[in-house]
Amino acid sequence: MSKTNYRAVSVFLLLALILLPAKGAAVQRQATGRNQPAAQAAAGQPRLVVVIVIDQFRYDFLERFSDLYGKNGFRRLIDRGALFTNANYGYVPTYTAPGHAAIFTGSVPAQNGIVGNLWYDRDAGRTRIMVSDMNSRLVTDAGVVGEAGVASPRVLIGTTIGDQIRLSNNLQSKVIALSQKDRSAVLPGGQRPNGAYWYNAQTGTFVTSDYYSKELPAWVKKFNASEENPKKYFRAKWERALGPDAYKRAQAENLSVQRSALGNKFPYVLTGGEEQPGPRFYSAFEFTPFALDFLSGFAKAAMEAESLGADQFPDLLSISFSSPDLIGHAFGPDSQEVLDTYVRLDRVLADLLDYIDRRVGLANTLIAMTGDHGVCPVPEYVSSLGMDAARIEARPLTEAVNKALAARFGEEKWVVSFVNDQLYFDRKLIADKRVMASEIERVAGEAALTVPGIVGYYTRTQIVEGRMPDGPIARRVVNGFHRARSGDVWIITKPFSFVAEGNLATTHGSPYNYDTHVPVLFYGPGVRAGRYHVECSPSDLAPTLAALLGVEMPSNRTGRVLFEAIEQRK
């Protein structure tokens, strides 16, 4: 062999020795997929993202109850994470569905289309649940059951942070969304999660829709049949978790409007008025802090069964705690019940964080926490303190508007719906009468102002033509307006007043601070700890997670990256 050939063969063998291990490793990664050891994940890159949404989480609950919290729940996240103290929703209405959509899409209803929990479908001529889908059916332990109309994300416009994480690696990441409420699982899950599950108050089990799967996974069925079933809480007693002094900052007694199916004073015995667990019991169960433990247990089961955080592809787990909202609606933010609920939630969070630390490691987990909206104090309680507040009935409002329109344009049923503090008019009638829509809107708005508690209005024509005045309330109305789904006149109530929703003691939805102001908190790899007082929004949560993870931001995001809390990479 010549020297030239010898050198060529030597170079070839050397290159083979260098390249073969690398090629073998690449083959091994491709073959093992999600079973790759966690240690091979990129340094500093989270393996698990956990987004915790607390329904009706007003910011001041962190401050008012701070001395009652332990070291390993809220305080662990606050002390070692980044807390944004001045986060406000930049739109109305401040409801559950728009809140969850804003958090995970990084946008507002004008972009993502989620204009409320309900909306008036002009094509169908009726009010519908926002996430209801006539192409989807319920999936229970028995399989696909019932009629169509079960929740799906088809109504959501654009992608979520979970969608973007999955798109970044050819769907290798997993996204699982859990909640008591369907909308609080469906919207966080995004367009194509691996699963979205919610509580069925008829059976006390977790369910999904056939948008996701025709059958519940085995692990969900196993959990539904386990001892963690709500039946374990039948006849359980909800008593105060702390001594009497802790509750002096809350109301001494509840008013008659502050009540639930359990009653209106401690202790509460959980039966739902039944001798054996049934639908009334399963429904009443949601109005207790026991539901917090139940959902946390389900989250642990999901983490284990789905192997979340087990490899280099970051997974996302969304957990939305709904019972604080149900309890808050029944008793109000100044009640002992709400105080006690947050004390107990703090303990549930501590336990859940400890579990995540044991299973995945908090050093490998990126956590984000916020609320989907705040809540108004109970008007009767505010009035008892000598402040101006009112509960406004919807019927007198719509009657006043119809009366004014009839006097001006003829006796007809002009208002077809009142949803999300918005009047919807009969557009065919307006066209047939050859009346200017802008004039109908103006007359209706002026008529609404004659109702005590109504202090302002904005019209569709103003919004569409860009003739809105400056100011935070007007901006929130514009951001909440979707041409195809929103109404024709937007009613603004005075602070501490709202249009009543059934027998609820209080509600939310307004553009005022008590409804818009929530905490935004980040904890984990890449997060610079501290308290930040800059103006921001929960719509900033998804863009910030995208920046921390190095993935593309959701498609129609309006929020910004909260760079203040991101460590500079070396």
Side-chain angles (χ1 to χ4, degrees):
M1 180 181 294
S2 68
K3 288 184 178 181
T4 302
N5 289 338
Y6 180 83
R7 287 172 182 168
V9 170
S10 299
V11 170
F12 174 82
L13 290 174
L14 180 61
L15 287 172
L17 288 171
I18 294 172
L19 294 175
L20 277 175
K23 183 178 180 181
V27 172
Q28 183 183 22
R29 281 197 295 270
Q30 188 175 8
T32 57
R34 293 189 58 82
N35 293 321
Q36 180 184 358
Q40 293 184 27
Q45 182 75 1
R47 300 203 311 268
L48 177 64
V49 180
V50 179
V51 181
I52 300 171
V53 182
I54 302 171
D55 204 326
Q56 203 177 116
F57 189 17
R58 233 171 57 171
Y59 176 81
D60 66 323
F61 293 166
L62 276 187
E63 307 291 1
R64 286 167 60 189
F65 311 146
S66 62
D67 59 310
L68 306 179
Y69 296 144
K71 294 182 179 180
N72 294 321
F74 287 118
R75 287 173 60 183
R76 168 158 48 183
L77 298 177
I78 292 170
D79 293 344
R80 305 178 200 172
L83 172 63
F84 287 84
T85 66
N86 194 19
N88 283 270
Y89 280 100
Y91 63 82
V92 282
T94 39
Y95 290 145
T96 296
H100 283 77
I103 292 164
F104 288 85
T105 65
S107 64
V108 293
Q111 269 67 48
N112 61 48
I114 307 302
V115 298
N117 293 335
L118 306 172
W119 67 297
Y120 182 72
D121 185 339
R122 294 182 188 273
D123 293 333
R126 63 185 178 90
T127 300
R128 293 177 51 189
I129 297 172
M130 192 78 238
V131 295
S132 66
D133 179 4
M134 295 310 296
N135 294 313
S136 295
R137 296 172 64 195
L138 188 68
V139 178
T140 71
D141 290 332
V144 180
V145 300
E147 299 179 354
V150 178
S152 90
R154 285 190 174 99
V155 73
L156 178 67
I157 301 170
T159 60
T160 62
I161 180 62
D163 292 325
Q164 296 299 153
I165 293 172
R166 299 200 76 206
L167 286 170
S168 73
N169 53 42
N170 193 29
L171 309 184
Q172 295 296 308
S173 292
K174 285 189 173 184
V175 172
I176 303 290
L178 320 170
S179 182
Q180 290 163 246
K181 297 180 181 179
D182 55 2
R183 55 186 174 269
S184 305
V186 165
L187 296 169
Q191 303 291 351
R192 284 296 167 188
N194 299 84
Y197 309 99
W198 56 89
Y199 179 73
N200 186 342
Q202 291 295 307
T203 60
T205 58
F206 284 100
V207 297
T208 189
S209 86
D210 63 358
Y211 172 90
Y212 305 101
S213 174
K214 302 295 183 183
E215 186 176 2
L216 285 176
W219 69 266
V220 177
K221 293 181 180 180
K222 180 180 178 182
F223 185 85
N224 284 339
S226 73
E227 293 182 356
E228 293 301 313
N229 189 290
K231 291 178 182 178
K232 69 182 282 190
Y233 297 101
F234 190 71
R235 299 191 188 281
K237 187 180 290 187
W238 176 15
E239 298 183 285
R240 297 175 184 86
L242 303 174
D245 287 348
Y247 299 86
K248 289 181 178 179
R249 71 197 70 188
Q251 287 177 255
E253 294 181 357
N254 287 326
L255 302 169
S256 60
V257 296
Q258 295 171 279
R259 62 186 183 277
S260 71
L262 304 172
N264 74 339
K265 63 179 181 179
F266 285 107
Y268 297 98
V269 179
L270 179 56
T271 66
E274 297 183 317
E275 294 299 321
Q276 297 292 331
R280 285 187 295 165
F281 161 72
Y282 294 130
S283 179
F285 170 74
E286 293 191 89
F287 287 80
T288 72
F290 304 133
L292 302 171
D293 295 276
F294 179 58
L295 184 63
S296 179
F298 189 50
K300 295 174 185 176
M303 288 182 60
E304 182 174 345
E306 298 285 356
S307 299
L308 300 183
D311 62 21
Q312 82 274 28
F313 301 110
D315 301 317
L316 186 146
L317 175 64
S318 169
I319 310 168
S320 179
F321 290 100
S322 305
S323 54
D325 179 70
L326 301 175
I327 295 166
H329 275 299
F331 298 105
D334 303 291
S335 65
Q336 295 186 33
E337 286 81 0
V338 164
L339 185 157
D340 195 76
T341 296
Y342 274 85
V343 168
R344 292 174 179 273
L345 176 57
D346 178 64
R347 298 174 183 179
V348 170
L349 289 174
D351 175 73
L352 180 61
L353 293 173
D354 285 344
Y355 175 84
I356 294 171
D357 196 23
R358 292 193 301 271
R359 181 155 192 90
V360 180
L362 287 176
N364 303 312
T365 305
L366 180 59
I367 296 172
M369 177 186 287
T370 189
D372 58 346
H373 52 72
V375 65
C376 179
V378 175
E380 289 79 1
Y381 176 67
V382 175
S383 296
S384 73
L385 300 177
M387 301 180 189
D388 189 19
R391 186 181 301 272
I392 305 165
E393 296 299 325
R395 178 172 290 182
L397 172 60
T398 56
E399 287 177 349
V401 171
N402 265 322
K403 183 178 179 181
L405 292 174
R408 177 72 182 275
F409 304 107
E411 194 73 37
E412 300 284 355
K413 185 181 178 182
W414 296 93
V415 179
V416 293
S417 186
F418 181 72
V419 185
N420 303 326
D421 286 348
Q422 298 162 53
L423 294 161
Y424 288 74
F425 300 134
D426 187 330
R427 289 183 175 175
K428 184 178 183 303
L429 178 62
I430 293 173
D432 290 345
K433 292 282 188 178
R434 297 184 179 181
V435 179
M436 292 283 291
S438 59
E439 188 62 11
I440 290 281
E441 295 163 4
R442 187 193 66 79
V443 172
E446 292 298 315
L449 290 178
T450 66
V451 177
I454 306 300
V455 295
Y457 70 90
Y458 298 98
T459 70
R460 170 179 284 268
T461 301
Q462 278 181 288
I463 299 169
V464 171
E465 294 182 356
R467 294 189 290 103
M468 292 289 281
D470 193 20
I473 293 179
R475 287 194 295 272
R476 285 168 180 164
V477 168
V478 171
N479 287 336
F481 178 82
H482 186 274
R483 284 199 180 199
R485 298 174 183 176
S486 294
D488 300 303
V489 175
W490 208 307
I491 302 299
I492 305 297
T493 65
K494 65 184 178 182
F496 300 127
S497 301
F498 53 77
V499 179
E501 297 180 52
N503 295 320
L504 298 177
T506 190
T507 191
H508 44 83
S510 81
Y512 298 119
N513 200 72
Y514 49 75
D515 281 343
T516 65
H517 189 199
V518 297
V520 168
L521 197 152
F522 297 92
Y523 172 103
V527 174
R528 182 189 297 159
R531 279 181 176 253
Y532 301 92
H533 306 295
V534 295
E535 289 190 9
C536 61
S537 165
S539 293
D540 301 332
L541 189 145
T544 303
L545 288 180
L548 285 164
L549 294 168
V551 302
E552 186 60 46
M553 295 181 189
S555 56
N556 51 5
R557 65 102 179 183
T558 59
R560 72 177 181 90
V561 174
L562 297 174
F563 65 88
E564 298 90 343
I566 297 180
E567 289 182 344
Q568 298 299 313
R569 295 180 180 176
K570 296 180 180 179

